[in-house]
Amino acid sequence: MFKPDIQKFSEKEWKTMRILFGIFWVHGIVNIITNFSSIPVPRGWALIIDLSFLDTIPGKSIFILVALLSVIFYVKNAKMIYVTGLMFLIGICVHTYQDSQATDIYNEIINLVVLGQFLAFSYCRYFKRSAGEDVVINLVIHNSKQAIIACYLIAAISKLSDAGLSWIIDAPNLSVAIYKMYMHNYVGLLSPELLSTALAYSTFIASHPLLIQVLFAIVLLAELLGIVALVNRQLSVVVGIVLIALHFGIAYFTGIHFDHFVVLLLIFLVNIGYVVNLVLIFSKKVLSSDKSS
Amino acid sequence: MGISSTLFFSIAKLWNLVPAKLTIVVVIISFSVGKIQPFSTFPVYSHIPPVSEYYYMTDEKDLIIPIALKFDYDGGSLHKMIEYRYVQYSKTYGDPEILNKVGLETLDYLFETFAITSETVSYKQIKIWNAKVKMMNDQIVVVHKEIAKMQVL
C-alpha cells in the first residue's frame, strides 16, 4: 500500500540543502530583476497588483537587497517563518514580473517549494510547539519534496486531460514544435547553425516516431508515479535520478531544457549535497586505508 | 456531541489518513485557479498539434530583421506577446483582423520600448509575419503570411 512517511534527515543534510537552494533562489531572483525593465504583457498577479516598481532602479535595488538579506538568514536557519514568508512574497512578485515578459518558464515550482517550507515552519510553530528541531527539519524537507512531486503530477494530469493517451500517439508532432522553438532563436540571431539544428531535430523526430512515443510514454509514467518518492529515502533518490535522466533525454532528443526542475530534483530528491559528502568521506577512508597498508 | 462536530471529527480523521496532503492540495488548487503564482497547470507540451507557428519581423524589402541583435528581443517573446494579446480579444485563434490589430499593438510596444525611429534604424518599414509549420512526408513545410506593418518615422 502507498504509505508516504516523513523521512529523517540530519542537520548537516538540511544545511547543505539550505545553502544550495538559497544560492539557486537568490541567483534566479537577481537575474530576473536585472534582466528586465518593463511589463509588456501583465499576467497573473500583475493584472491585480501594479508591479511597475520593479522597473525602477530604487525598486530593483530594494528587492535585491531584501532578497540577499533573506538568503543570509535562510542559510543561517534564523527566523525561518518570517524568512520563508518573505522569500515567498518576493518570489511571487519577481516571478510574476518574469511571467509578464511574455515567457513561460514554469517557475511556479520554486515558489511552491518555498511555500511548502513556510507552511512546515508555521505548522510546527503554531500547532506542534513541542516539536524538536529534527521534527521541523524533516517536515520542511518532506514538504519541499511534496511541492516538487505535485508539479510533475499536475503536468501529467494536464497532458491526460488536454490530450488523453493520444498525447503519446501524437508525440511525433513534436517535430514541428521543436522546429518552431529553434526558429524563435533563429529569427532573433539569423544564425545558420540554428536553422540546421532545427531541421536536424525535427527530421530526427519525424523519422523515429516509435522512439519518441516510447520516450513520451516513459515521461508520462514517471510524472504520474513520481509520488512514490515520498515513500522512503531510497525511492526518493531513484525517482529523482529517473526524472533527471528524463530531462536530459528530452534535452538531448528535442533540445527542450527545464534546468530549474533539474536543480530542485538534485537538491531535494537526490539530496546531492549529502551524496557528494558520502563520496568524499568514502574516498578519504579509502585513501587513509591505502596509506596505513 | 452534535452532528456537526461528529462530522468535523470524522472529516479530520479521514484527512489524517490521506497521504501526501500538500501534494493533493496543490494539485486541487492548481486546477481550480489555473496559472497564477505559485500555481500552474504546467501545460508543458500537454497538447502537441500537427501544425505549429512562429512570428518574425522583416524590413520593407521583406528581409528578416535579427531582433535579438538589433533590439535585444527574441522570437519566443514576440510569439508569446502576440498570443497573450490575442486572447484578450478572442479565444478562437487565427482571426486575421484580430491578428492585424494585435500585430500593430505589438509594433507600437516595440517602437516605443526600443526607441525605433528613422534616426535609430535604417529600415523604412517594419513588418510582422506569421509562419505556419507542418510536416509533410518527413519534410518541414512553412507557409508565411504578413500580419501587420508600420512605417518608421
Side-chain angles (χ1 to χ4, degrees):
Chain A
M1 189 191 156
F2 173 66
K3 190 172 178 291
D5 284 327
I6 299 175
Q7 309 303 313
K8 290 184 175 68
F9 294 88
S10 67
E11 164 55 29
K12 238 184 185 175
E13 287 174 276
W14 170 227
K15 191 178 179 181
T16 314
M17 287 179 184
R18 281 200 318 271
I19 294 170
L20 293 175
F21 182 68
I23 293 169
F24 164 74
W25 181 84
V26 80
H27 174 261
I29 294 292
V30 172
N31 221 8
I32 297 164
I33 293 176
T34 50
N35 269 349
F36 304 113
S37 54
S38 64
I39 303 174
V41 188
R43 293 172 75 197
W45 293 109
L47 294 166
I48 305 162
I49 305 163
D50 182 12
L51 290 177
S52 57
F53 54 87
L54 279 170
D55 293 338
T56 65
I57 300 289
K60 285 179 191 293
S61 310
I62 290 167
F63 259 69
I64 290 173
L65 190 69
V66 176
L68 286 169
L69 282 174
S70 304
V71 162
I72 292 168
F73 276 90
Y74 180 82
V75 171
K76 288 180 81 157
N77 207 22
K79 309 268 179 204
M80 289 304 257
I81 296 180
Y82 303 108
V83 168
T84 49
L86 196 58
M87 284 169 73
F88 178 68
L89 291 177
I90 293 171
I92 293 291
C93 291
V94 175
H95 289 128
T96 300
Y97 185 62
Q98 185 182 30
D99 291 339
S100 303
Q101 305 301 322
T103 55
D104 266 329
I105 309 286
Y106 301 109
N107 47 33
E108 290 83 1
I109 189 169
I110 303 165
N111 293 324
L112 279 175
V113 168
V114 179
L115 177 65
Q117 295 185 0
F118 169 74
L119 291 175
F121 283 118
S122 305
Y123 176 75
C124 291
R125 172 73 176 80
Y126 298 108
F127 296 101
K128 275 205 165 184
R129 284 173 177 269
S130 57
E133 183 66 14
D134 54 334
V135 175
V136 181
I137 289 172
N138 296 337
L139 187 62
V140 168
I141 298 170
H142 186 66
N143 273 9
S144 307
K145 285 187 188 180
Q146 284 202 71
I148 296 167
I149 292 304
C151 298
Y152 284 97
L153 192 58
I154 293 166
I157 297 170
S158 277
K159 289 175 184 99
L160 289 173
S161 66
D162 286 358
L165 284 177
S166 69
W167 186 73
I168 297 168
I169 298 157
D170 294 340
N173 287 345
L174 192 68
S175 58
V176 288
I178 297 300
Y179 183 83
K180 171 196 82 174
M181 197 181 77
Y182 275 92
M183 289 311 285
H184 279 160
N185 290 330
Y186 174 74
V187 299
L189 298 164
L190 288 186
S191 156
E193 291 86 40
L194 284 168
L195 194 59
S196 54
T197 312
L199 283 169
Y201 272 128
S202 49
T203 312
F204 176 84
I205 293 166
S207 52
H208 296 82
L210 190 62
L211 176 71
I212 300 300
Q213 282 167 336
V214 169
L215 191 64
F216 266 47
I218 297 170
V219 167
L220 190 58
L221 207 61
E223 286 180 341
L224 280 171
L225 299 179
I227 201 161
V228 298
L230 302 173
V231 174
N232 61 43
R233 290 184 61 142
Q234 288 77 18
L235 274 172
S236 175
V237 175
V238 170
V239 169
I241 291 172
V242 166
L243 288 172
I244 289 169
L246 282 175
H247 277 295
F248 279 119
I250 291 166
Y252 180 78
F253 288 116
T254 65
I256 302 168
H257 292 263
F258 287 103
D259 297 343
H260 52 300
F261 279 71
V262 172
V263 173
L264 291 174
L265 287 169
L266 276 173
I267 296 173
F268 292 108
L269 263 72
V270 177
N271 196 354
I272 189 69
Y274 186 63
V275 172
V276 170
N277 197 29
L278 279 182
V279 171
L280 287 175
I281 291 168
F282 179 73
S283 53
K284 262 185 193 171
K285 271 187 183 170
V286 170
L287 280 172
S288 60
S289 66
D290 276 355
K291 276 182 187 171
S292 60
S293 64
Chain B
M1 200 159 50
I3 293 171
S4 56
S5 54
T6 312
L7 191 68
F8 175 77
F9 283 113
S10 306
I11 291 169
K13 261 188 181 177
L14 270 175
W15 177 242
N16 276 335
L17 293 173
V18 173
K21 292 181 187 63
L22 183 68
T23 303
I24 291 168
V25 169
V26 168
V27 170
I28 292 170
I29 298 178
S30 295
F31 282 103
S32 310
V33 301
K35 186 175 172 70
I36 184 159
Q37 290 283 353
F39 302 103
S40 168
T41 54
F42 295 96
V44 193
Y45 292 102
S46 62
H47 172 61
I48 312 168
V51 179
S52 198
E53 59 186 358
Y54 61 91
Y55 293 86
Y56 59 95
M57 286 160 63
T58 68
D59 61 11
E60 65 282 0
K61 293 172 196 155
D62 294 341
L63 295 171
I64 296 179
I65 299 170
I67 49 176
L69 301 175
K70 296 281 178 192
F71 311 124
D72 195 17
Y73 203 63
D74 67 274
S77 299
L78 179 67
H79 186 154
K80 292 282 177 193
M81 186 172 292
I82 291 170
E83 205 174 82
Y84 296 144
R85 283 176 193 268
Y86 188 98
V87 293
Q88 288 170 0
Y89 295 107
S90 169
K91 297 216 166 173
T92 325
Y93 197 70
D95 184 312
E97 269 182 40
I98 299 176
L99 265 177
N100 177 255
K101 191 174 178 179
V102 166
L104 289 172
E105 278 180 15
T106 305
L107 282 169
D108 256 340
Y109 165 79
L110 295 173
F111 271 54
E112 196 185 321
T113 305
F114 301 111
I116 300 173
T117 63
S118 54
E119 287 172 10
T120 56
V121 297
S122 55
Y123 317 118
K124 289 188 179 109
Q125 196 177 54
I126 294 183
K127 302 177 183 179
I128 294 184
W129 291 74
N130 168 280
K132 279 200 166 42
V133 188
K134 60 181 175 179
M135 209 78 183
M136 278 178 77
N137 305 322
D138 287 357
Q139 293 290 318
I140 288 283
V141 178
V142 188
V143 179
H144 304 263
K145 196 176 174 190
E146 182 191 305
I147 65 159
K149 62 183 167 191
M150 199 170 267
Q151 291 296 126
V152 179
L153 303 170

